[in-house]
Amino acid sequence: MTRINHQVRLAARPVGEPRDTDWQHVEEPVGEPGDGELLVQVLYLSIDPAMRGWMNAGRSYIRPVEVGEVMRAGAVGRVIASRHPGFAVGDHVSGAFGVQEYCLSDGRDVTKADPAAAPLSTYLGTLGMSGLTAYFGLIDIGRPEPGQTVVVSGAAGAVGSVVGQIAKILGCRVVGIAGGERKCRLLVEELGFDAAIDYQTEDVRKALREHAPDGVDVYFDNVGGDVLDAVLLRLARGARVVICGAVSQYNSTEPKGPANYMSLLVNRATMTGMVVFDYADRYAEGIAQLATWRAKGRLKSLEDVVSGGVAAFPETLMRLFRGENHGKLVLKVAEEQVSEEGENR
Amino acid sequence: MTRINHQVRLAARPVGEPRDTDWQHVEEPVGEPGDGELLVQVLYLSIDPAMRGWMNAGRSYIRPVEVGEVMRAGAVGRVIASRHPGFAVGDHVSGAFGVQEYCLSDGRDVTKADPAAAPLSTYLGTLGMSGLTAYFGLIDIGRPEPGQTVVVSGAAGAVGSVVGQIAKILGCRVVGIAGGERKCRLLVEELGFDAAIDYQTEDVRKALREHAPDGVDVYFDNVGGDVLDAVLLRLARGARVVICGAVSQYNSTEPKGPANYMSLLVNRATMTGMVVFDYADRYAEGIAQLATWRAKGRLKSLEDVVSGGVAAFPETLMRLFRGENHGKLVLKVAEEQVSEEGENR
């Protein structure tokens, strides 16, 4: 029986918002693993704002996805064939398998995921790159101290929701900025944030005066744009601004810089960019800490799992930019137990 | 004999560029020092881009100059009467004496200047706040290492010209950005910069590709605007951007933020604001080092001394924003030896 691999490839570099014509839906036969390779059936895809940047040409923190190439994506899956000594059929694994149903891998940067310890989708969120981004960005760059005020934007998103919860664990006052009343309620009622600001209906600057009366010591920015500008005006002396993303700007053909950046001078503050990949040699430390907090019930995993398979990828990505997700946006590609698995056991 | 004190006071808060009507020229009799006070005759005034910010209302790193108040300015002068135990008639002193001919002071934040060691105007430049700003901003925030590339904007200005020379002393490759061929020639031929970029006639981004082929490790920014945006695109991994000023934006009613700030993320770089006043307890260290380098001929003092007295202050300030100065812009208020001095000796 020949398995068919459905893929989504980059057809053209988008200008502004990605359109249907920027994607190519391709079918090809699934290959057999060669020596040292494993074949992974993809179960869940991680949908990330950073994907928009990967589609652009030009130097960035990671090479661009080439036109014609399978779209890059983090994923969890199940090993269905292996000629790699480190992986056996039936293992659950996490890696950059791409927007496709099957992936041949040489095992590099592939880690195992234990479905008994957490749902597989959580290995893309709290126990995956999103959680690690929150952990290292907040702890290493933000360096919050107990009693300080931490503000996070995109607070109901995959990274932001973890940032806020970690800051609470560390003894900080936490204010989340998110879009919509439902998200804001979730932050305060479910995740224990001290306050939430709805940027769609509130004056962020005014709301920060109320919720961060002593100024903002750490600002973890996922959105850029007007929200960043508003928070800059409320920085405390010596504040740390962590630049993790700028989802409000990714589809803009004329991105807007923070007009209030001179607040960095007024407040002797620092703005620092972070990329989680730099912490690869400390991932184990981060995952262990996140898993411990999670096991103790101190860190809730917020996941928004969408079905539809790889064909639904383009539309699912747009949901991120429309701010429709609550927590980690995950696209389900296949049921965990599929009938074909039997033959490979 | 009653001495008359000519002063320039803030008449109105400017919108955009300061206009003549924003200033009030006032004459008043010079007072007598009370107990613990000294009377200073102002000889030289420091003309600084930061003055524009002091004229605005609102929270900043220093309280605004109030409407009706004598305009704040650093100055050097000569003590002509004293009832302060620390200062004697004939002492030369440096302090924030303001845009006026005479200043009564309680001696706080007043330091002595030795005219035998350096020209008095130098105590406003290389051996004053400009030199200290360059020293602490570069060494403490920029943290350049030998062999790294340091770029400085406003490079022919009071702070920039010292930044570049210190970076050379520290063994860095130094590229200055300035306006006009004459300034650029001065940087390379007189001050020993490795290269200079004329932002008025050159494409800064392209020129940086040539002059900073391995990227920019430290960027010391005095100007903001398009130049900041161009340098951001050339940052090296882990670069430090020192935000010292934004002279291109100070008169703008709609200041422009750095659209390319996401380069901080791509390059894991940091942008930090600095205010020299924070280093008050280390001024002695800075001055000692600057004076040593100066005495050894390793640090040249670039001064642009304008005559005209306090009445010329408004026009002299505008020279800064038009980029007409070479090095430290200083307004001469009086001859060092004036006839009246005799009576106070």
Side-chain angles (χ1 to χ4, degrees):
Chain A
M1 194 196 88
T2 305
R3 278 201 192 82
I4 295 299
N5 184 19
H6 291 88
Q7 307 175 319
V8 176
R9 291 171 178 261
L10 186 64
R13 300 213 177 277
V15 177
E17 283 195 357
R19 294 178 304 171
D20 282 352
T21 49
D22 297 324
W23 303 110
Q24 190 184 11
H25 297 260
V26 174
E27 295 182 10
E28 59 173 41
V30 176
E32 292 292 321
D35 225 30
E37 287 187 330
L38 60 155
L39 178 62
V40 176
Q41 182 185 19
V42 172
L43 301 174
Y44 296 98
L45 285 175
S46 175
I47 309 296
D48 297 285
M51 287 173 151
R52 181 61 189 83
W54 304 342
M55 298 165 76
N56 294 333
R59 192 174 75 98
S60 187
Y61 63 92
I62 191 171
R63 70 165 186 79
V65 175
E66 298 302 331
V67 170
E69 193 181 353
V70 174
M71 179 61 193
R72 180 187 296 137
V76 286
R78 195 166 174 284
V79 179
I80 58 171
S82 179
R83 292 178 62 189
H84 188 294
F87 299 94
V89 169
D91 283 351
H92 289 92
V93 287
S94 172
F97 302 133
V99 184
Q100 55 184 345
E101 294 173 335
Y102 297 91
C103 178
L104 278 173
S105 163
D106 61 9
R108 257 187 299 178
D109 298 326
V110 173
T111 56
K112 292 191 191 176
D114 177 5
L120 284 175
S121 54
T122 303
Y123 290 93
L124 297 177
T126 311
L127 299 180
M129 286 300 162
S130 303
L132 289 167
T133 300
Y135 180 84
F136 290 111
L138 181 66
I139 286 180
D140 230 62
I141 316 257
R143 300 184 307 279
E145 288 166 27
Q148 290 193 329
T149 298
V150 173
V151 173
V152 56
S153 61
V159 173
S161 60
V162 180
V163 166
Q165 291 182 85
I166 296 177
K168 281 306 295 177
I169 292 170
L170 298 176
C172 299
R173 173 172 175 79
V174 177
V175 180
I177 303 175
E181 197 217 330
R182 197 183 136 205
K183 284 184 186 172
C184 287
R185 219 165 346 107
L186 180 146
L187 295 179
V188 174
E189 294 175 8
E190 301 285 319
L191 303 186
F193 283 47
D194 295 288
I197 298 170
D198 180 356
Y199 74 86
Q200 292 173 347
T201 59
E202 292 183 75
D203 177 332
V204 175
R205 201 176 150 188
K206 200 180 292 178
L208 281 171
R209 272 202 292 274
E210 180 189 342
H211 297 305
D214 301 325
V216 177
D217 298 293
V218 176
Y219 175 48
F220 194 109
D221 189 32
N222 293 304
V223 305
D226 293 335
V227 170
L228 171 57
D229 254 337
V231 182
L232 281 173
L233 291 179
R234 285 298 303 167
L235 295 185
R237 178 75 85 92
R240 287 80 66 198
V241 177
V242 184
I243 300 295
C244 177
V247 70
S248 75
Q249 303 297 306
Y250 290 159
N251 289 317
S252 169
T253 48
E254 286 189 13
K256 183 183 167 299
N260 297 328
Y261 81 105
M262 285 298 282
S263 173
L264 296 176
L265 183 145
V266 170
N267 298 297
R268 293 72 159 175
T270 286
M271 186 185 273
T272 306
M274 78 89 56
V275 174
V276 67
F277 304 150
D278 295 347
Y279 295 89
D281 59 355
R282 291 176 59 196
Y283 282 173
E285 165 205 333
I287 292 292
Q289 181 62 79
L290 291 161
T292 301
W293 283 329
R294 192 178 174 281
K296 288 182 178 167
R298 303 187 71 184
L299 185 57
K300 291 188 187 169
S301 293
L302 216 58
E303 281 154 34
D304 196 335
V305 180
V306 171
S307 57
V310 297
F313 169 75
E315 166 58 17
T316 309
L317 180 61
M318 290 312 299
R319 289 192 50 172
L320 265 190
F321 297 117
R322 292 194 301 259
E324 291 175 11
N325 58 304
H326 289 66
K328 178 70 193 179
L329 186 57
V330 171
L331 178 59
K332 185 174 179 179
V333 175
E335 289 294 333
E336 207 173 322
Q337 298 299 328
V338 290
S339 60
E340 301 106 286
E341 280 183 13
E343 74 196 67
N344 287 294
R345 282 184 188 237
Chain B
M1 193 197 88
T2 304
R3 277 201 193 86
I4 295 298
N5 184 19
H6 292 89
Q7 308 175 318
V8 176
R9 291 171 178 261
L10 187 64
R13 300 213 178 277
V15 178
E17 283 194 359
R19 294 177 306 168
D20 284 350
T21 50
D22 298 325
W23 303 110
Q24 188 183 11
H25 297 261
V26 174
E27 295 182 11
E28 60 174 37
V30 176
E32 293 293 321
D35 224 30
E37 286 188 331
L38 60 153
L39 177 63
V40 177
Q41 182 185 19
V42 172
L43 301 173
Y44 295 99
L45 285 175
S46 175
I47 310 295
D48 296 285
M51 287 173 152
R52 181 62 189 83
W54 304 341
M55 298 165 75
N56 294 334
R59 194 174 75 97
S60 187
Y61 63 93
I62 192 171
R63 70 164 185 81
V65 175
E66 297 302 331
V67 170
E69 193 181 356
V70 174
M71 179 61 192
R72 180 186 295 136
V76 286
R78 195 167 171 282
V79 179
I80 57 171
S82 178
R83 293 179 62 190
H84 188 294
F87 298 94
V89 169
D91 281 353
H92 289 92
V93 287
S94 172
F97 301 133
V99 184
Q100 54 184 346
E101 294 173 336
Y102 298 92
C103 178
L104 277 172
S105 164
D106 61 6
R108 257 186 300 175
D109 298 327
V110 174
T111 56
K112 292 192 189 174
D114 177 6
L120 284 175
S121 55
T122 304
Y123 290 93
L124 298 177
T126 310
L127 299 180
M129 286 301 162
S130 303
L132 289 168
T133 301
Y135 180 83
F136 291 111
L138 181 66
I139 287 180
D140 230 63
I141 316 256
R143 300 186 306 281
E145 288 166 27
Q148 290 193 328
T149 297
V150 174
V151 173
V152 56
S153 61
V159 173
S161 60
V162 180
V163 166
Q165 292 182 84
I166 296 177
K168 281 306 296 178
I169 292 170
L170 298 177
C172 299
R173 174 173 175 76
V174 177
V175 181
I177 304 176
E181 198 215 334
R182 196 181 135 207
K183 285 185 186 171
C184 287
R185 223 171 336 111
L186 180 146
L187 295 178
V188 174
E189 292 175 8
E190 300 286 321
L191 303 185
F193 283 47
D194 295 289
I197 298 170
D198 180 355
Y199 74 86
Q200 291 173 348
T201 58
E202 291 183 76
D203 177 333
V204 175
R205 200 176 151 187
K206 202 182 288 178
L208 281 171
R209 271 203 292 273
E210 180 188 341
H211 296 304
D214 300 326
V216 177
D217 297 294
V218 177
Y219 175 49
F220 194 108
D221 189 33
N222 293 303
V223 304
D226 293 337
V227 170
L228 171 56
D229 254 336
V231 182
L232 281 173
L233 291 179
R234 285 298 303 167
L235 295 184
R237 178 74 85 95
R240 286 80 66 199
V241 177
V242 184
I243 299 296
C244 177
V247 70
S248 75
Q249 303 297 304
Y250 289 159
N251 289 316
S252 169
T253 48
E254 285 189 15
K256 184 183 165 298
N260 297 328
Y261 81 104
M262 285 298 283
S263 174
L264 296 177
L265 183 144
V266 171
N267 298 296
R268 292 76 159 173
T270 286
M271 185 184 274
T272 305
M274 79 88 58
V275 174
V276 68
F277 304 150
D278 295 346
Y279 295 91
D281 59 353
R282 291 176 59 196
Y283 283 173
E285 164 204 333
I287 292 291
Q289 182 62 80
L290 291 161
T292 301
W293 284 330
R294 193 176 171 282
K296 289 184 177 166
R298 304 187 72 185
L299 186 56
K300 291 188 186 167
S301 292
L302 215 59
E303 281 153 34
D304 197 335
V305 181
V306 171
S307 56
V310 296
F313 169 75
E315 166 57 17
T316 309
L317 181 61
M318 290 312 300
R319 290 191 50 174
L320 265 190
F321 297 117
R322 293 195 300 261
E324 291 174 13
N325 59 305
H326 289 66
K328 178 69 194 179
L329 186 58
V330 171
L331 178 60
K332 186 175 178 177
V333 175
E335 289 295 333
E336 206 170 324
Q337 297 298 329
V338 290
S339 59
E340 302 106 285
E341 280 183 16
E343 73 196 67
N344 287 296
R345 276 184 195 242

